[in-house]
């Protein structure tokens, strides 16, 4: 019965077109692991570290929009998924967890590797269910309908984490015992497909749900837009290229200023009309006076990186702040949103494009574009005259990364530097048109960065460059093991400033008696031996020219690699301050 239920679980997931299984080895999960191993349609990866497995699954789901399946044994194994569960839950990333558990008679008895796994993740899952032990007295159809509901809850907007806690009694390994397949399953079982054939439909098919606003809501939005003299289209994190294309079409129709977060898929492009590339730094200059009386902000997407943006809108709130999102969750840290519309983003943008008249460009938008271009020139000159620095690394990668690659950015300084100083290539080269950028901004933690990048590469099925800090890399050191067997190479650019660089920008840095030991946290380590341990190519770039050479060499080799760059935390703070001052002085 264990074998049968394991087979049904994996087979029904595959029939729902969920075919990526991240497996952490163990005994109690044997029925699930064997079922996945023996299913020719299932793609598998073995991940020894459950925390890394969870973030690998997140990277895959961010790339594909489709959940990966996590399989683990009983005990604390499933508890190690918790950081990834929280990240996925807050950012509406679909995941399906199949944790294995002891049977009820072993719970609260002191039995080995037995903990309370019911509701293990609290309120973070969008749905969770304690699947009973396989037995002939329970109709196996229960398994199929449960899996189909789990898939629906993980996928349907807003999406999120589903946890199925699967209890198994021994024997766990396959046996020669024959189990009669119930008559109700015969037809389903005979529908087994072979490679190259289209899979049969799931046992219970859940129709796709499209969240759309009412015609009155759309009309009210159109009237607000049409009456706007000064408008900003702010684009936060988007989930797919289809959403990015829909937003670009809306931007063409609006002719408003476009502020795009680096996670939007638009920030590093050159074909977005009225894109203000350096809006974050522009807010530090006198040109920002143009933004003091904004009629309307339409925000699409969430998880915005720019802290400067939040400070600005709190000081100069617009008359109308309209938030468009595909989920019911509030994302309004400044408490300024005056209207919120929940809708499928692609659908709503298409509807607005159909009904909105073509708006004319305004002179104030042209002023913003001109100011942004000046900031870009200033930053380029300033950074290229300095030695190899953290902002220059982010900017250089944005210039050199091939368009068919993916880019994963770790939290703290790397994503901020890319958001502030990243640049798209020339439009005629179409360099950045298909570049996907990923980051874990649900909780903005530093854990799981390398593991997430590996999953992102598998999901995109292209090579990925990951920009990661040294503490993130140390925190996720086990995940370098995933690079040995990943189906796509990942180039990990480790920015090693010997500690937590972002803390140098905080007021605590002035407490010199406490700062270095408790916040700067120097470690004195490098990653050359880690590269050797995990059999990865290793580069140590000492200057700007070497970094360009090493990065392009790693790209050409199409092998996973570590490129380590050593920087200085104090110098990095001074450089950011000097660059900001240089930008401000250009506008005085």
């Amino acid at each position: 019965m264990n074998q049968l239920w394991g087979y049904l679980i994996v087979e029904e997931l595959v029939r729902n077109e969920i075919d990526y299984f991240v497996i952490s080895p163990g005994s109690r999960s044997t029925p699930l692991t064997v079922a996945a191993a023996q299913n020719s349609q299932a793609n598998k990866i073995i991940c020894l570290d459950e925390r890394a497995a969870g973030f690998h699954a997140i990277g895959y789901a961010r790339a594909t929009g489709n959940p990966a399946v996590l399989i683990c044994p009983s005990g604390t194994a499933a508890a190690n998924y918790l950081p990834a569960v929280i990240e996925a839950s807050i950012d509406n990333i679909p995941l399906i967890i199949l944790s294995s558990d002891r049977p009820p008679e072993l719970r609260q008895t002191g039995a080995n590797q037995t903990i309370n796994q019911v509701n293990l993740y609290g309120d973070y899952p969008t749905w969770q269910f304690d699947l009973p032990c396989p037995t002939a007295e329970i109709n196996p159809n229960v398994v199929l309908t449960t899996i189909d509901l789990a898939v629906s809850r993980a996928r349907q907007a807003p999406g999120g984490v589903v946890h199925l806690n699967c209890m198994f009694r021994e024997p766990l390994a396959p046996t020669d015992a024959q189990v009669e397949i119930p008559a109700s399953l015969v037809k389903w079982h005979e529908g087994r497909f072979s490679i190259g054939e289209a899979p049969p439909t799931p046992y219970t098919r859940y129709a796709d749900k499209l969240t759309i606003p009412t015609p009155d809501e759309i009309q009210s939005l159109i009237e607000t837009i049409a009456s706007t003299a000064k408008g900003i289209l702010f684009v936060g994190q988007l989930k797919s290229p289809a959403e990015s294309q829909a937003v670009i079409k809306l931007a063409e129709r609006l002719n408003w200023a476009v502020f795009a977060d680096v996670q939007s898929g638009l920030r590093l492009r050159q074909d977005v009309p009225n894109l203000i590339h350096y809006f974050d730094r522009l807010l530090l200059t006198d040109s920002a006076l143009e933004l003091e009386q904004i009629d309307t902000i339409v925000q699409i997407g969430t998880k915005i990186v720019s802290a400067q943006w939040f400070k600005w809108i709190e000081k100069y709130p617009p008359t109308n702040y309209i938030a468009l999102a595909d989920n019911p969750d509030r994302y309004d840290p400044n408490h300024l949103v005056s209207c919120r519309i929940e809708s499928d983003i692609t659908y709503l943008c298409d509807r607005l494009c159909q009904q909105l008249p073509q708006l004319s460009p305004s002179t104030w938008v042209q002023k913003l574009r001109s100011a942004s271009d000046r900031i870009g020139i200033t930053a380029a000159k300033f950074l290229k005259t300095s030695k190899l620095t953290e902002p220059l690394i982010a900017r250089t990668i944005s210039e050199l990364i091939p368009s068919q690659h993916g880019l994963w950015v770790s939290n703290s300084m790397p994503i901020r530097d890319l958001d502030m100083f990243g640049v798209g290539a020339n439009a005629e080269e179409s360099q950045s048109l298909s570049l996907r950028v990923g980051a874990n901004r649900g909780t903005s933690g530093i854990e799981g960065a390398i593991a997430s990048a590996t999953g992102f590469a598998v999901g995109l099925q292209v090579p990925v460059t990951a920009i990661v800090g040294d503490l993130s890399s140390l925190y996720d050191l086990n995940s370098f093991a995933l690079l040995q067997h990943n189906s796509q190479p990942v180039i990990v650019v480790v920015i090693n400033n010997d500690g937590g660089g972002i803390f140098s920008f905080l007021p605590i840095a002035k407490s010199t008696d406490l700062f270095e030991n408790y916040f700067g946290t120097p470690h004195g380590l490098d990653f050359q031996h880690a590269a050797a341990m995990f059999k990865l190519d290793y580069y140590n770039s000492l200057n700007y020219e070497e970094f360009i050479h090493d990065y392009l060499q790693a790209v050409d080799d199409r092998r996973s690699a570590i490129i380590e760059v050593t920087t200085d935390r104090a110098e990095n703070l001074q450089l950011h301050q000097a660059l900001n001052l240089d930008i401000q002085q250009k506008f005085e």
Side-chain angles (χ1 to χ4, degrees):
M1 291 303 300
N2 286 342
Q3 288 177 253
L4 174 62
W5 280 39
Y7 164 78
L8 295 178
I9 289 170
V10 172
E11 176 71 12
E12 191 67 357
L13 286 166
V14 171
R15 292 189 185 204
N16 276 279
E17 299 182 349
I18 296 177
D19 61 0
Y20 192 61
F21 293 79
V22 185
I23 302 171
S24 294
S27 175
R28 192 61 53 168
S29 53
T30 297
L32 297 170
T33 299
V34 170
Q38 292 181 343
N39 192 305
S40 62
Q41 302 293 312
N43 299 304
K44 286 82 68 172
I45 185 171
I46 307 301
C47 189
L48 303 178
D49 183 335
E50 286 88 6
R51 186 179 70 179
F55 281 99
H56 179 85
I58 280 181
Y60 175 89
R62 284 193 186 278
T64 64
N66 205 31
V69 182
L70 290 158
I71 294 176
C72 73
S74 63
T76 56
N80 286 303
Y81 290 152
L82 181 59
V85 168
I86 296 173
E87 172 68 26
S89 173
I90 291 178
D91 220 4
N92 304 125
I93 302 299
L95 293 181
I96 295 177
I97 296 174
L98 302 179
S99 62
S100 305
D101 201 357
R102 257 61 176 173
E105 62 268 21
L106 292 182
R107 292 178 176 179
Q108 300 187 30
T109 65
N112 189 40
Q113 286 192 323
T114 303
I115 66 172
N116 182 9
Q117 295 180 201
V118 179
N119 299 325
L120 180 62
Y121 307 118
D123 295 333
Y124 287 109
T126 187
W127 190 67
Q128 48 193 325
F129 188 73
D130 202 29
L131 201 64
C133 293
T135 173
E137 285 70 37
I138 298 177
N139 190 327
N141 292 0
V142 170
V143 179
L144 303 179
T145 61
T146 300
I147 291 299
D148 293 333
L149 175 58
V151 170
S152 174
R153 294 300 299 271
R155 275 181 173 159
Q156 299 282 21
V161 179
V162 166
H163 176 207
L164 294 182
N165 192 47
C166 307
M167 291 183 282
F168 294 108
R169 291 188 176 96
E170 294 185 357
L172 302 170
T175 67
D176 295 332
Q178 296 298 312
V179 177
E180 182 179 353
I181 297 178
S184 58
L185 280 181
V186 170
K187 183 177 180 180
W188 177 92
H189 180 74
E190 289 176 347
R192 182 74 177 101
F193 55 92
S194 61
I195 295 177
E197 295 179 357
T201 58
Y203 187 85
T204 302
R205 184 179 65 85
Y206 281 77
D208 291 338
K209 180 178 67 174
L210 185 66
T211 305
I212 59 176
T214 66
D216 289 345
E217 289 172 335
I218 293 179
Q219 183 58 37
S220 176
L221 177 57
I222 289 174
E223 291 173 359
T224 300
I225 291 173
S227 63
T228 294
K230 283 187 175 182
I232 294 174
L233 178 61
F234 196 105
V235 191
Q237 180 193 82
L238 298 179
K239 294 182 178 179
S240 69
E243 288 186 352
S244 297
Q245 286 301 124
V247 171
I248 289 175
K249 290 180 181 179
L250 178 60
E252 292 171 346
R253 179 69 61 172
L254 291 177
N255 256 316
W256 289 2
V258 177
F259 292 3
D261 186 272
V262 72
Q263 303 165 92
S264 66
L266 310 184
R267 168 68 179 80
L268 301 181
R269 297 177 65 148
Q270 293 286 358
D271 62 336
V272 181
N274 298 320
L275 178 63
I276 312 301
H277 275 280
Y278 303 98
F279 75 89
D280 178 275
R281 298 297 86 184
L282 184 147
L283 296 176
L284 299 174
T285 71
D286 290 343
S287 290
L289 296 174
E290 296 284 348
L291 302 172
E292 288 187 5
Q293 294 181 339
I294 297 298
D295 297 315
T296 303
I297 294 173
V298 172
Q299 178 183 307
I300 302 177
T302 59
K303 306 306 177 190
I304 296 164
V305 172
S306 173
Q308 196 65 36
W309 167 252
F310 289 116
K311 292 178 183 178
W312 182 264
I313 60 174
E314 185 173 35
K315 188 176 181 180
Y316 302 106
T319 304
N320 307 296
Y321 199 127
I322 301 169
L324 312 179
D326 66 351
N327 64 77
D329 300 331
R330 177 173 63 169
Y331 184 72
D332 183 19
N334 293 92
H335 304 282
L336 294 175
V337 171
S338 56
C339 175
R340 191 183 189 285
I341 298 177
E342 181 183 355
S343 174
D344 177 86
I345 297 300
T346 302
Y347 171 88
L348 182 56
C349 289
D350 289 344
R351 286 291 303 273
L352 290 174
C353 287
Q354 292 171 14
Q355 299 185 32
L356 272 172
Q358 177 67 54
L359 303 181
S360 301
S362 61
T363 55
W364 83 278
V365 173
Q366 299 305 317
K367 290 180 181 178
L368 293 180
R369 290 187 62 183
S370 176
S372 177
D373 290 343
R374 288 169 60 192
I375 291 172
I377 294 170
T378 300
K381 289 182 178 179
F382 186 97
L383 292 175
K384 293 294 176 65
T385 57
S386 67
K387 64 180 183 180
L388 187 56
T389 60
E390 296 181 25
L392 182 56
I393 293 168
R395 185 179 180 90
T396 301
I397 290 174
S398 72
E399 292 174 321
L400 297 180
I401 187 169
S403 62
Q404 67 272 22
H405 283 213
L407 177 58
W408 187 268
V409 196
S410 183
N411 287 312
S412 294
M413 290 309 298
I415 194 166
R416 288 171 169 82
D417 284 334
L418 187 69
D419 192 59
M420 288 187 291
F421 303 115
V423 59
N426 295 327
E428 56 267 20
E429 295 178 359
S430 301
Q431 171 99 357
S432 300
L433 297 187
S434 61
L435 180 66
R436 293 282 302 277
V437 179
N440 286 333
R441 296 298 291 178
T443 59
S444 300
I446 66 169
E447 72 271 56
I450 297 167
S452 298
T454 64
F456 198 57
V458 173
L460 293 178
Q461 280 299 292
V462 298
V464 161
T465 297
I467 312 175
V468 187
D470 53 323
L471 293 188
S472 289
S473 299
L474 290 171
Y475 206 80
D476 202 25
L477 197 64
N478 289 348
S479 294
F480 281 120
L482 289 170
L483 298 181
Q484 294 177 299
H485 309 292
N486 220 50
S487 61
Q488 293 290 333
V490 178
I491 301 170
V492 183
V493 179
V494 178
I495 300 175
N496 189 348
N497 54 30
D498 195 25
I502 195 169
F503 295 111
S504 298
F505 291 77
L506 303 180
I508 191 63
K510 296 178 182 178
S511 301
T512 55
D513 56 331
L514 296 171
F515 177 75
E516 191 64 7
N517 285 338
Y518 291 94
F519 296 91
T521 58
H523 49 77
L525 301 172
D526 63 54
F527 292 86
Q528 182 174 1
H529 294 294
M533 175 181 177
F534 293 107
K535 297 181 174 60
L536 301 171
D537 292 350
Y538 176 80
Y539 304 86
N540 185 14
S541 304
L542 299 179
N543 55 54
Y544 178 61
E545 290 74 20
E546 278 191 20
F547 178 73
I548 292 176
H549 173 272
D550 293 343
Y551 179 70
L552 293 178
Q553 183 67 55
V555 169
D556 288 342
D557 289 343
R558 292 187 62 87
R559 291 193 303 268
S560 291
I562 296 174
I563 302 177
E564 184 171 8
V565 182
T566 301
T567 63
D568 183 275
R569 284 183 275 119
E571 290 181 1
N572 184 54
L573 172 64
Q574 295 168 5
L575 179 131
H576 277 82
Q577 293 171 336
L579 177 53
N580 289 341
L581 181 61
D582 194 35
I583 290 172
Q584 291 172 323
Q585 290 175 343
K586 292 294 191 296
F587 289 84
E588 291 180 350

